Amino acid sequence: MKFTLENLRTLLRVEDAVALTASNANNEFEDLGYDSLAMLEFSSQLMQQFGVRIPDADLQLLRTPQQAVDYVNTLGFVAEAS
Amino acid sequence: MTNTRTVISGMGVVVPTGMSPAEHWESIVEGRSGISRIVRFDPTNYPVQLAGQVPAFRGADHLPGKLVPQTDIGTQMGLAAAAAALTDARIEPSEFPEYELSVVTASSSGGTEFGQREMERLYLKGPDWVGAYQSIAWFYAATTGQISIRHGMRGTSLVLCQEQAGGLDAMAHARALVSSGARVVVVGGSDASLCPYGMAAQLSSGWMTASDYRPFASNASGYVPGEGAAMLTVEPLTGAKQRGASIFAELLGQASGFDPAPWSGRPSALRRTIEAALADAGMSHSDVDVVFADGVAVRDRDAEEAAAIAEVFGSVPVTVPKMLTGRMYAAGGALDIITAVMAMQHDLIPHVSGIRCAHDIDLVVDTPRSTPVRIVLLLARGYGGFVSALILGRVT
Protein backbone atom coordinates (compact mmCIF):
# COMPACT_ATOMS: atom_id res chain seq x y z
CA MET A 1 0.00 0.00 0.00
CA LYS A 2 1.34 3.39 -0.98
CA PHE A 3 0.78 6.57 0.92
CA THR A 4 -1.52 8.80 -1.12
CA LEU A 5 -2.73 12.37 -1.29
CA GLU A 6 -6.02 11.14 0.16
CA ASN A 7 -4.17 9.70 3.20
CA LEU A 8 -2.42 13.02 3.61
CA ARG A 9 -5.64 15.00 3.41
CA THR A 10 -7.25 12.86 6.13
CA LEU A 11 -4.28 13.24 8.42
CA LEU A 12 -4.10 17.02 8.10
CA ARG A 13 -7.61 17.33 9.54
CA VAL A 14 -8.15 20.77 8.05
CA GLU A 15 -11.55 20.41 6.52
CA ASP A 16 -11.95 23.83 5.02
CA ALA A 17 -8.51 24.18 3.46
CA VAL A 18 -8.23 23.61 -0.28
CA ALA A 19 -8.85 19.94 -1.16
CA LEU A 20 -5.62 18.24 -2.15
CA THR A 21 -5.65 17.01 -5.73
CA ALA A 22 -3.03 16.04 -8.29
CA SER A 23 -3.39 19.49 -9.82
CA ASN A 24 -2.36 21.42 -6.70
CA ALA A 25 -0.04 18.82 -5.16
CA ASN A 26 2.99 20.93 -6.04
CA ASN A 27 1.63 24.14 -4.49
CA GLU A 28 3.03 25.14 -1.11
CA PHE A 29 1.06 24.02 1.94
CA GLU A 30 0.85 27.59 3.17
CA ASP A 31 -0.80 28.75 -0.04
CA LEU A 32 -3.31 25.91 0.23
CA GLY A 33 -4.36 26.97 3.73
CA TYR A 34 -2.32 24.54 5.83
CA ASP A 35 -0.32 26.28 8.54
CA SER A 36 2.63 25.03 10.59
CA LEU A 37 0.33 23.60 13.25
CA ALA A 38 -1.47 21.59 10.59
CA MET A 39 1.90 20.11 9.62
CA LEU A 40 2.63 19.18 13.23
CA GLU A 41 -0.79 17.60 13.46
CA PHE A 42 -0.02 15.65 10.25
CA SER A 43 3.19 14.38 11.82
CA SER A 44 1.39 13.40 15.02
CA GLN A 45 -1.47 11.67 13.16
CA LEU A 46 0.99 9.85 10.90
CA MET A 47 2.57 8.39 14.02
CA GLN A 48 -0.76 7.56 15.63
CA GLN A 49 -2.46 6.01 12.62
CA PHE A 50 0.42 4.48 10.66
CA GLY A 51 3.26 4.22 13.18
CA VAL A 52 5.51 6.30 10.92
CA ARG A 53 7.69 8.98 12.49
CA ILE A 54 9.01 12.03 10.65
CA PRO A 55 11.93 13.79 12.37
CA ASP A 56 11.08 17.46 13.03
CA ALA A 57 14.01 18.63 10.92
CA ASP A 58 12.65 16.74 7.90
CA LEU A 59 9.09 17.93 8.50
CA GLN A 60 10.19 21.52 8.01
CA LEU A 61 11.56 20.66 4.57
CA LEU A 62 8.24 19.37 3.28
CA ARG A 63 6.81 22.38 1.48
CA THR A 64 4.22 20.77 -0.79
CA PRO A 65 1.74 17.88 -0.58
CA GLN A 66 3.66 15.94 -3.26
CA GLN A 67 6.91 16.28 -1.29
CA ALA A 68 5.14 15.00 1.83
CA VAL A 69 3.63 12.01 0.02
CA ASP A 70 6.92 11.14 -1.65
CA TYR A 71 8.80 11.50 1.62
CA VAL A 72 6.47 9.15 3.49
CA ASN A 73 6.79 6.58 0.70
CA THR A 74 10.60 6.79 0.79
CA LEU A 75 10.41 5.78 4.45
CA GLY A 76 9.36 2.41 3.12
CA PHE A 77 5.76 3.05 3.93
CA VAL A 78 3.98 -0.31 4.01
CA ALA A 79 1.66 -0.07 6.96
CA GLU A 80 -2.02 -0.81 6.66
CA ALA A 81 -4.22 1.90 8.14
CA SER A 82 -4.90 0.83 11.70
CA MET B 1 -8.57 58.86 31.70
CA THR B 2 -12.13 59.88 31.01
CA ASN B 3 -14.33 57.01 29.98
CA THR B 4 -16.07 57.19 26.64
CA ARG B 5 -19.78 56.39 26.97
CA THR B 6 -19.89 52.68 26.19
CA VAL B 7 -23.00 50.74 25.20
CA ILE B 8 -24.09 47.17 24.58
CA SER B 9 -25.38 46.60 21.06
CA GLY B 10 -25.40 42.83 20.57
CA MET B 11 -25.81 39.67 22.66
CA GLY B 12 -25.33 35.96 22.05
CA VAL B 13 -25.58 32.94 24.35
CA VAL B 14 -24.98 29.22 24.44
CA VAL B 15 -26.30 28.44 27.92
CA PRO B 16 -28.27 25.74 29.75
CA THR B 17 -31.38 27.94 29.65
CA GLY B 18 -31.33 28.63 25.92
CA MET B 19 -29.51 29.21 22.66
CA SER B 20 -30.59 32.85 22.33
CA PRO B 21 -31.07 35.71 24.80
CA ALA B 22 -34.85 35.56 24.19
CA GLU B 23 -35.03 31.84 24.87
CA HIS B 24 -32.86 32.27 27.96
CA TRP B 25 -35.09 35.04 29.27
CA GLU B 26 -38.22 32.95 28.73
CA SER B 27 -36.64 30.11 30.75
CA ILE B 28 -35.65 32.48 33.54
CA VAL B 29 -39.08 34.06 33.82
CA GLU B 30 -40.81 30.68 33.74
CA GLY B 31 -38.36 29.26 36.25
CA ARG B 32 -37.27 26.54 33.82
CA SER B 33 -33.96 25.08 34.98
CA GLY B 34 -31.14 23.97 32.71
CA ILE B 35 -29.68 21.78 35.47
CA SER B 36 -29.76 18.00 35.16
CA ARG B 37 -27.64 14.92 35.85
CA ILE B 38 -24.24 15.24 34.18
CA VAL B 39 -24.15 13.60 30.75
CA ARG B 40 -20.71 14.70 29.54
CA PHE B 41 -19.07 11.96 31.62
CA ASP B 42 -20.26 9.33 34.05
CA PRO B 43 -20.58 11.22 37.36
CA THR B 44 -21.51 8.14 39.42
CA ASN B 45 -18.37 8.22 41.54
CA TYR B 46 -18.32 11.98 42.04
CA PRO B 47 -19.86 13.87 44.97
CA VAL B 48 -21.45 16.34 42.53
CA GLN B 49 -23.71 14.81 39.90
CA LEU B 50 -25.80 17.76 38.74
CA ALA B 51 -24.77 20.52 36.37
CA GLY B 52 -26.21 23.17 34.10
CA GLN B 53 -25.51 21.76 30.65
CA VAL B 54 -26.07 22.47 26.97
CA PRO B 55 -26.26 18.84 25.87
CA ALA B 56 -27.57 19.60 22.37
CA PHE B 57 -24.59 21.81 21.49
CA ARG B 58 -22.38 20.45 18.69
CA GLY B 59 -19.51 22.61 17.55
CA ALA B 60 -19.89 21.33 13.99
CA ASP B 61 -23.37 22.88 13.79
CA HIS B 62 -21.98 26.36 14.45
CA LEU B 63 -18.38 26.49 13.25
CA PRO B 64 -16.25 25.93 10.17
CA GLY B 65 -15.17 22.26 10.14
CA LYS B 66 -11.52 23.20 10.58
CA LEU B 67 -12.10 24.68 14.02
CA VAL B 68 -13.79 21.67 15.60
CA PRO B 69 -10.75 19.37 15.96
CA GLN B 70 -8.63 22.40 16.96
CA THR B 71 -10.71 23.71 19.86
CA ASP B 72 -12.18 22.74 23.22
CA ILE B 73 -15.94 22.69 23.60
CA GLY B 74 -15.79 25.80 25.80
CA THR B 75 -14.07 27.70 22.99
CA GLN B 76 -16.60 26.32 20.51
CA MET B 77 -19.42 27.67 22.67
CA GLY B 78 -17.60 31.00 22.92
CA LEU B 79 -17.15 31.17 19.15
CA ALA B 80 -20.83 30.39 18.58
CA ALA B 81 -21.97 33.01 21.12
CA ALA B 82 -19.59 35.64 19.70
CA ALA B 83 -20.85 35.08 16.16
CA ALA B 84 -24.43 35.36 17.42
CA ALA B 85 -23.63 38.63 19.24
CA LEU B 86 -22.05 40.16 16.12
CA THR B 87 -25.05 39.09 14.04
CA ASP B 88 -27.43 40.47 16.68
CA ALA B 89 -25.58 43.80 16.54
CA ARG B 90 -25.58 43.75 12.72
CA ILE B 91 -21.81 44.26 12.82
CA GLU B 92 -19.80 43.06 9.85
CA PRO B 93 -16.22 43.18 11.16
CA SER B 94 -14.71 43.44 7.69
CA GLU B 95 -16.32 46.87 7.35
CA PHE B 96 -14.13 48.22 10.18
CA PRO B 97 -10.37 48.75 10.38
CA GLU B 98 -9.19 45.43 11.82
CA TYR B 99 -6.94 47.03 14.46
CA GLU B 100 -9.88 48.98 15.88
CA LEU B 101 -11.77 45.79 16.76
CA SER B 102 -10.93 44.04 20.05
CA VAL B 103 -11.83 40.85 21.90
CA VAL B 104 -11.95 40.51 25.69
CA THR B 105 -13.10 37.20 27.09
CA ALA B 106 -12.95 35.68 30.54
CA SER B 107 -12.11 32.05 31.14
CA SER B 108 -11.64 30.28 34.43
CA SER B 109 -10.69 26.80 33.28
CA GLY B 110 -9.36 26.98 29.73
CA GLY B 111 -9.89 23.96 27.49
CA THR B 112 -9.93 21.31 30.19
CA GLU B 113 -11.87 18.63 28.31
CA PHE B 114 -9.55 18.89 25.29
CA GLY B 115 -6.55 18.99 27.61
CA GLN B 116 -7.66 15.94 29.56
CA ARG B 117 -8.04 13.93 26.33
CA GLU B 118 -4.54 14.82 25.17
CA MET B 119 -2.99 14.31 28.62
CA GLU B 120 -4.55 10.83 28.75
CA ARG B 121 -2.84 10.07 25.45
CA LEU B 122 0.42 11.40 26.84
CA TYR B 123 0.51 9.16 29.89
CA LEU B 124 -1.13 6.11 28.33
CA LYS B 125 0.70 6.09 24.97
CA GLY B 126 3.47 8.66 24.97
CA PRO B 127 4.32 12.10 23.60
CA ASP B 128 3.96 11.10 19.94
CA TRP B 129 0.26 10.63 20.54
CA VAL B 130 -0.46 14.17 21.69
CA GLY B 131 -2.07 16.20 18.92
CA ALA B 132 -0.53 19.46 17.78
CA TYR B 133 -3.65 21.45 18.63
CA GLN B 134 -3.11 20.79 22.32
CA SER B 135 -0.59 23.63 22.03
CA ILE B 136 -3.36 26.16 21.40
CA ALA B 137 -6.61 24.57 22.58
CA TRP B 138 -6.25 24.28 26.31
CA PHE B 139 -4.99 27.76 27.16
CA TYR B 140 -7.20 30.33 28.80
CA ALA B 141 -6.65 32.66 25.87
CA ALA B 142 -7.85 30.18 23.22
CA THR B 143 -11.35 31.65 23.00
CA THR B 144 -10.18 35.24 22.67
CA GLY B 145 -7.62 34.18 20.06
CA GLN B 146 -10.00 32.10 17.97
CA ILE B 147 -12.67 34.84 17.97
CA SER B 148 -10.01 37.36 16.95
CA ILE B 149 -8.79 35.16 14.09
CA ARG B 150 -12.22 34.11 12.86
CA HIS B 151 -13.65 37.63 12.68
CA GLY B 152 -10.49 39.55 11.79
CA MET B 153 -10.54 41.55 15.02
CA ARG B 154 -6.88 42.38 15.54
CA GLY B 155 -6.95 45.27 18.01
CA THR B 156 -5.73 44.92 21.61
CA SER B 157 -7.26 41.75 22.99
CA LEU B 158 -7.21 40.13 26.40
CA VAL B 159 -8.22 37.16 28.47
CA LEU B 160 -9.18 37.49 32.13
CA CYS B 161 -8.88 34.60 34.57
CA GLN B 162 -10.82 35.59 37.67
CA GLU B 163 -13.29 32.75 37.98
CA GLN B 164 -16.84 34.10 38.33
CA ALA B 165 -15.68 37.74 38.53
CA GLY B 166 -14.02 37.62 35.10
CA GLY B 167 -17.25 38.03 33.15
CA LEU B 168 -17.93 41.40 34.80
CA ASP B 169 -14.37 42.65 34.82
CA ALA B 170 -14.14 41.88 31.10
CA MET B 171 -16.75 44.58 30.58
CA ALA B 172 -14.60 47.15 32.39
CA HIS B 173 -11.63 46.29 30.19
CA ALA B 174 -13.85 46.59 27.13
CA ARG B 175 -14.88 50.07 28.27
CA ALA B 176 -11.22 51.01 28.67
CA LEU B 177 -10.51 49.81 25.12
CA VAL B 178 -13.49 51.76 23.76
CA SER B 179 -12.19 54.80 25.63
CA SER B 180 -8.84 54.43 23.90
CA GLY B 181 -10.36 54.19 20.45
CA ALA B 182 -11.73 50.67 19.86
CA ARG B 183 -14.76 50.81 17.56
CA VAL B 184 -16.21 47.43 18.61
CA VAL B 185 -15.26 45.02 21.38
CA VAL B 186 -16.54 41.46 21.59
CA VAL B 187 -16.69 40.84 25.32
CA GLY B 188 -17.93 38.03 27.53
CA GLY B 189 -16.95 34.69 28.95
CA SER B 190 -17.01 30.98 28.29
CA ASP B 191 -16.35 27.96 30.46
CA ALA B 192 -17.22 24.31 29.90
CA SER B 193 -15.28 22.21 32.33
CA LEU B 194 -17.59 19.25 32.86
CA CYS B 195 -15.02 16.50 32.54
CA PRO B 196 -13.39 14.42 35.31
CA TYR B 197 -10.29 16.63 35.42
CA GLY B 198 -12.35 19.82 35.42
CA MET B 199 -14.68 18.48 38.09
CA ALA B 200 -11.78 17.47 40.32
CA ALA B 201 -10.36 20.98 40.02
CA GLN B 202 -13.70 22.60 40.82
CA LEU B 203 -14.33 20.33 43.81
CA SER B 204 -11.17 21.60 45.49
CA SER B 205 -12.95 24.79 46.58
CA GLY B 206 -15.26 22.80 48.84
CA TRP B 207 -18.09 25.08 47.76
CA MET B 208 -20.09 22.68 45.61
CA THR B 209 -23.18 20.79 46.70
CA ALA B 210 -24.31 17.22 46.24
CA SER B 211 -27.83 18.61 46.42
CA ASP B 212 -29.50 21.61 44.72
CA TYR B 213 -28.17 25.14 44.27
CA ARG B 214 -30.09 27.33 46.75
CA PRO B 215 -28.52 30.81 47.00
CA PHE B 216 -29.24 32.73 50.21
CA ALA B 217 -31.48 29.91 51.45
CA SER B 218 -31.69 28.71 55.02
CA ASN B 219 -30.69 25.28 53.69
CA ALA B 220 -27.99 26.52 51.29
CA SER B 221 -25.33 23.84 50.87
CA GLY B 222 -23.17 25.07 47.99
CA TYR B 223 -23.48 25.56 44.27
CA VAL B 224 -23.99 23.42 41.18
CA PRO B 225 -21.60 24.03 38.25
CA GLY B 226 -22.69 25.02 34.78
CA GLU B 227 -21.23 25.25 31.28
CA GLY B 228 -21.78 27.75 28.52
CA ALA B 229 -20.82 31.00 26.91
CA ALA B 230 -22.26 34.50 26.87
CA MET B 231 -20.86 37.20 24.59
CA LEU B 232 -21.78 40.80 23.88
CA THR B 233 -20.68 43.54 21.55
CA VAL B 234 -19.92 46.92 23.05
CA GLU B 235 -19.05 50.13 21.26
CA PRO B 236 -18.97 53.87 21.87
CA LEU B 237 -22.43 55.41 22.15
CA THR B 238 -21.62 57.79 19.31
CA GLY B 239 -20.54 54.95 17.00
CA ALA B 240 -23.61 52.88 17.83
CA LYS B 241 -25.88 55.85 17.09
CA GLN B 242 -24.06 56.60 13.83
CA ARG B 243 -24.66 53.14 12.48
CA GLY B 244 -28.24 53.09 13.71
CA ALA B 245 -27.66 50.18 16.10
CA SER B 246 -30.15 48.92 18.64
CA ILE B 247 -28.71 50.09 21.95
CA PHE B 248 -29.52 47.71 24.78
CA ALA B 249 -27.80 49.31 27.76
CA GLU B 250 -24.97 51.55 28.86
CA LEU B 251 -22.09 50.58 31.11
CA LEU B 252 -22.36 53.24 33.80
CA GLY B 253 -19.87 52.17 36.43
CA GLN B 254 -17.54 49.43 37.51
CA ALA B 255 -15.10 48.59 40.27
CA SER B 256 -12.96 45.62 41.16
CA GLY B 257 -11.76 44.52 44.56
CA PHE B 258 -9.87 41.72 46.18
CA ASP B 259 -10.89 39.96 49.37
CA PRO B 260 -8.43 39.64 52.23
CA ALA B 261 -7.29 36.15 53.15
CA PRO B 262 -10.18 34.25 54.78
CA TRP B 263 -8.16 33.65 57.95
CA SER B 264 -7.24 37.34 58.37
CA GLY B 265 -10.56 38.21 60.00
CA ARG B 266 -10.76 41.37 57.90
CA PRO B 267 -14.01 42.17 56.10
CA SER B 268 -14.67 41.25 52.47
CA ALA B 269 -13.97 43.82 49.76
CA LEU B 270 -17.62 43.65 48.71
CA ARG B 271 -18.89 46.81 50.37
CA ARG B 272 -16.11 49.09 49.24
CA THR B 273 -16.24 47.58 45.72
CA ILE B 274 -19.97 48.30 45.48
CA GLU B 275 -19.40 51.83 46.75
CA ALA B 276 -16.53 52.38 44.32
CA ALA B 277 -18.74 51.25 41.42
CA LEU B 278 -21.48 53.66 42.52
CA ALA B 279 -18.90 56.46 42.74
CA ASP B 280 -17.59 55.55 39.27
CA ALA B 281 -21.15 55.86 37.95
CA GLY B 282 -21.70 59.11 39.86
CA MET B 283 -24.71 57.54 41.52
CA SER B 284 -26.26 57.05 44.90
CA HIS B 285 -27.39 53.65 46.25
CA SER B 286 -30.99 54.81 45.92
CA ASP B 287 -30.63 55.00 42.12
CA VAL B 288 -30.24 51.22 41.87
CA ASP B 289 -33.43 49.29 41.08
CA VAL B 290 -32.12 45.75 41.55
CA VAL B 291 -28.97 43.87 42.56
CA PHE B 292 -27.96 40.74 40.67
CA ALA B 293 -26.06 39.04 43.47
CA ASP B 294 -23.26 36.50 43.32
CA GLY B 295 -25.16 34.11 45.63
CA VAL B 296 -22.70 31.23 45.82
CA ALA B 297 -24.94 29.40 48.36
CA VAL B 298 -22.10 28.87 50.84
CA ARG B 299 -23.57 30.00 54.15
CA ASP B 300 -20.90 32.37 55.46
CA ARG B 301 -20.21 33.82 52.01
CA ASP B 302 -23.94 34.39 51.45
CA ALA B 303 -24.08 36.09 54.86
CA GLU B 304 -21.13 38.33 53.95
CA GLU B 305 -22.74 39.33 50.66
CA ALA B 306 -26.19 39.90 52.16
CA ALA B 307 -24.63 42.08 54.85
CA ALA B 308 -22.71 44.16 52.31
CA ILE B 309 -25.85 44.67 50.22
CA ALA B 310 -27.88 45.64 53.29
CA GLU B 311 -25.16 48.03 54.53
CA VAL B 312 -24.96 49.89 51.23
CA PHE B 313 -28.55 49.81 50.06
CA GLY B 314 -30.74 49.32 53.10
CA SER B 315 -33.48 47.58 51.16
CA VAL B 316 -33.22 46.79 47.45
CA PRO B 317 -34.61 43.90 45.40
CA VAL B 318 -32.02 41.12 44.99
CA THR B 319 -32.03 38.22 42.55
CA VAL B 320 -29.78 35.32 41.51
CA PRO B 321 -30.93 34.07 38.09
CA LYS B 322 -27.85 31.85 37.82
CA MET B 323 -29.71 29.45 40.11
CA LEU B 324 -31.26 28.03 36.91
CA THR B 325 -27.99 27.59 34.99
CA GLY B 326 -25.58 26.63 37.74
CA ARG B 327 -22.49 28.73 38.22
CA MET B 328 -20.94 29.09 34.80
CA TYR B 329 -17.81 30.80 36.13
CA ALA B 330 -16.45 33.24 33.54
CA ALA B 331 -19.58 32.84 31.44
CA GLY B 332 -21.76 33.43 34.50
CA GLY B 333 -20.93 37.10 34.96
CA ALA B 334 -21.40 37.74 31.25
CA LEU B 335 -24.74 35.94 31.25
CA ASP B 336 -25.88 38.00 34.24
CA ILE B 337 -25.22 41.13 32.15
CA ILE B 338 -27.46 39.78 29.39
CA THR B 339 -30.17 38.79 31.88
CA ALA B 340 -29.97 42.29 33.37
CA VAL B 341 -30.46 43.84 29.92
CA MET B 342 -33.53 41.66 29.40
CA ALA B 343 -34.85 42.67 32.84
CA MET B 344 -34.53 46.34 31.82
CA GLN B 345 -36.27 45.67 28.52
CA HIS B 346 -39.19 43.97 30.26
CA ASP B 347 -39.28 45.98 33.51
CA LEU B 348 -39.30 42.66 35.30
CA ILE B 349 -37.01 41.28 37.97
CA PRO B 350 -36.51 37.53 37.61
CA HIS B 351 -37.11 35.45 40.72
CA VAL B 352 -35.62 32.47 42.48
CA SER B 353 -37.93 29.54 43.21
CA GLY B 354 -38.26 27.42 46.30
CA ILE B 355 -35.96 29.51 48.46
CA ARG B 356 -36.58 30.43 52.08
CA CYS B 357 -34.25 33.36 52.41
CA ALA B 358 -32.09 33.18 55.52
CA HIS B 359 -30.77 36.73 55.27
CA ASP B 360 -32.04 40.23 55.78
CA ILE B 361 -32.36 41.13 52.10
CA ASP B 362 -35.31 41.59 49.76
CA LEU B 363 -34.72 38.45 47.69
CA VAL B 364 -37.24 38.23 44.84
CA VAL B 365 -38.77 34.79 45.38
CA ASP B 366 -41.40 32.59 43.73
CA THR B 367 -42.61 34.96 40.99
CA PRO B 368 -40.94 37.66 38.89
CA ARG B 369 -41.50 41.18 40.19
CA SER B 370 -42.95 43.74 37.82
CA THR B 371 -41.31 47.11 38.49
CA PRO B 372 -39.35 49.71 36.54
CA VAL B 373 -35.80 48.43 36.01
CA ARG B 374 -33.60 51.33 34.92
CA ILE B 375 -30.37 50.78 36.82
CA VAL B 376 -28.93 47.36 37.69
CA LEU B 377 -25.95 46.58 39.88
CA LEU B 378 -24.30 43.21 39.28
CA LEU B 379 -21.97 41.50 41.71
CA ALA B 380 -19.60 38.63 41.14
CA ARG B 381 -17.10 36.97 43.44
CA GLY B 382 -14.48 34.70 41.97
CA TYR B 383 -12.77 31.90 43.86
CA GLY B 384 -9.43 33.20 45.11
CA GLY B 385 -10.72 36.58 46.25
CA PHE B 386 -11.86 38.38 43.10
CA VAL B 387 -14.72 40.84 43.52
CA SER B 388 -16.38 42.80 40.75
CA ALA B 389 -19.30 45.21 40.72
CA LEU B 390 -20.82 46.56 37.51
CA ILE B 391 -23.60 49.08 36.97
CA LEU B 392 -25.72 49.05 33.83
CA GLY B 393 -28.48 51.41 32.82
CA ARG B 394 -30.88 52.09 30.02
CA VAL B 395 -29.85 54.62 27.44
CA THR B 396 -32.35 57.42 27.45
mmCIF file of all heavy atoms in Angstrom, chain B residues 1-5 175-176 178-180:
data_model
loop_
_atom_site.group_PDB
_atom_site.id
_atom_site.type_symbol
_atom_site.label_atom_id
_atom_site.label_comp_id
_atom_site.label_asym_id
_atom_site.label_seq_id
_atom_site.Cartn_x
_atom_site.Cartn_y
_atom_site.Cartn_z
ATOM 1 N N MET B 1 -7.967 58.849 33.047
ATOM 2 C CA MET B 1 -8.566 58.863 31.701
ATOM 3 C C MET B 1 -10.083 58.941 31.815
ATOM 4 O O MET B 1 -10.687 58.234 32.612
ATOM 5 C CB MET B 1 -8.170 57.587 30.953
ATOM 6 C CG MET B 1 -8.596 57.597 29.514
ATOM 7 S SD MET B 1 -8.118 56.056 28.667
ATOM 8 C CE MET B 1 -9.286 54.893 29.362
ATOM 9 N N THR B 2 -10.672 59.814 31.031
ATOM 10 C CA THR B 2 -12.126 59.880 31.011
ATOM 11 C C THR B 2 -12.677 58.727 30.202
ATOM 12 O O THR B 2 -12.144 58.406 29.137
ATOM 13 C CB THR B 2 -12.587 61.199 30.352
ATOM 14 O OG1 THR B 2 -11.855 62.263 30.935
ATOM 15 C CG2 THR B 2 -14.073 61.417 30.555
ATOM 16 N N ASN B 3 -13.736 58.113 30.716
ATOM 17 C CA ASN B 3 -14.334 57.012 29.982
ATOM 18 C C ASN B 3 -15.265 57.519 28.886
ATOM 19 O O ASN B 3 -16.069 58.420 29.102
ATOM 20 C CB ASN B 3 -15.129 56.114 30.934
ATOM 21 C CG ASN B 3 -14.212 55.232 31.749
ATOM 22 O OD1 ASN B 3 -13.344 54.565 31.197
ATOM 23 N ND2 ASN B 3 -14.399 55.225 33.059
ATOM 24 N N THR B 4 -15.126 56.938 27.721
ATOM 25 C CA THR B 4 -16.073 57.187 26.644
ATOM 26 C C THR B 4 -17.375 56.459 26.981
ATOM 27 O O THR B 4 -17.338 55.345 27.505
ATOM 28 C CB THR B 4 -15.504 56.614 25.326
ATOM 29 O OG1 THR B 4 -14.249 57.238 25.073
ATOM 30 C CG2 THR B 4 -16.443 56.846 24.156
ATOM 31 N N ARG B 5 -18.507 57.095 26.707
ATOM 32 C CA ARG B 5 -19.780 56.392 26.973
ATOM 33 C C ARG B 5 -19.834 55.121 26.134
ATOM 34 O O ARG B 5 -19.714 55.166 24.906
ATOM 35 C CB ARG B 5 -20.968 57.313 26.673
ATOM 36 C CG ARG B 5 -21.095 58.466 27.654
ATOM 37 C CD ARG B 5 -22.358 59.274 27.410
ATOM 38 N NE ARG B 5 -23.573 58.519 27.756
ATOM 39 C CZ ARG B 5 -24.804 59.014 27.611
ATOM 40 N NH1 ARG B 5 -24.993 60.234 27.129
ATOM 41 N NH2 ARG B 5 -25.863 58.282 27.945
ATOM 42 N N ARG B 175 -14.627 48.626 28.214
ATOM 43 C CA ARG B 175 -14.882 50.073 28.267
ATOM 44 C C ARG B 175 -13.568 50.843 28.125
ATOM 45 O O ARG B 175 -13.506 51.868 27.440
ATOM 46 C CB ARG B 175 -15.585 50.447 29.576
ATOM 47 C CG ARG B 175 -15.853 51.951 29.677
ATOM 48 C CD ARG B 175 -16.638 52.322 30.914
ATOM 49 N NE ARG B 175 -15.907 52.026 32.147
ATOM 50 C CZ ARG B 175 -16.267 52.471 33.355
ATOM 51 N NH1 ARG B 175 -17.361 53.223 33.491
ATOM 52 N NH2 ARG B 175 -15.575 52.159 34.425
ATOM 53 N N ALA B 176 -12.521 50.338 28.773
ATOM 54 C CA ALA B 176 -11.220 51.013 28.669
ATOM 55 C C ALA B 176 -10.725 50.998 27.223
ATOM 56 O O ALA B 176 -10.161 51.983 26.732
ATOM 57 C CB ALA B 176 -10.208 50.332 29.587
ATOM 58 N N VAL B 178 -12.645 50.818 24.512
ATOM 59 C CA VAL B 178 -13.489 51.761 23.759
ATOM 60 C C VAL B 178 -13.003 53.183 24.027
ATOM 61 O O VAL B 178 -12.919 54.014 23.110
ATOM 62 C CB VAL B 178 -14.979 51.593 24.157
ATOM 63 C CG1 VAL B 178 -15.819 52.775 23.669
ATOM 64 C CG2 VAL B 178 -15.531 50.282 23.593
ATOM 65 N N SER B 179 -12.644 53.460 25.271
ATOM 66 C CA SER B 179 -12.190 54.803 25.635
ATOM 67 C C SER B 179 -10.851 55.152 24.991
ATOM 68 O O SER B 179 -10.501 56.319 24.877
ATOM 69 C CB SER B 179 -12.082 54.925 27.161
ATOM 70 O OG SER B 179 -13.343 54.663 27.749
ATOM 71 N N SER B 180 -10.104 54.123 24.590
ATOM 72 C CA SER B 180 -8.844 54.431 23.897
ATOM 73 C C SER B 180 -8.967 54.198 22.388
ATOM 74 O O SER B 180 -7.950 54.049 21.706
ATOM 75 C CB SER B 180 -7.691 53.631 24.500
ATOM 76 O OG SER B 180 -7.928 52.260 24.370
#
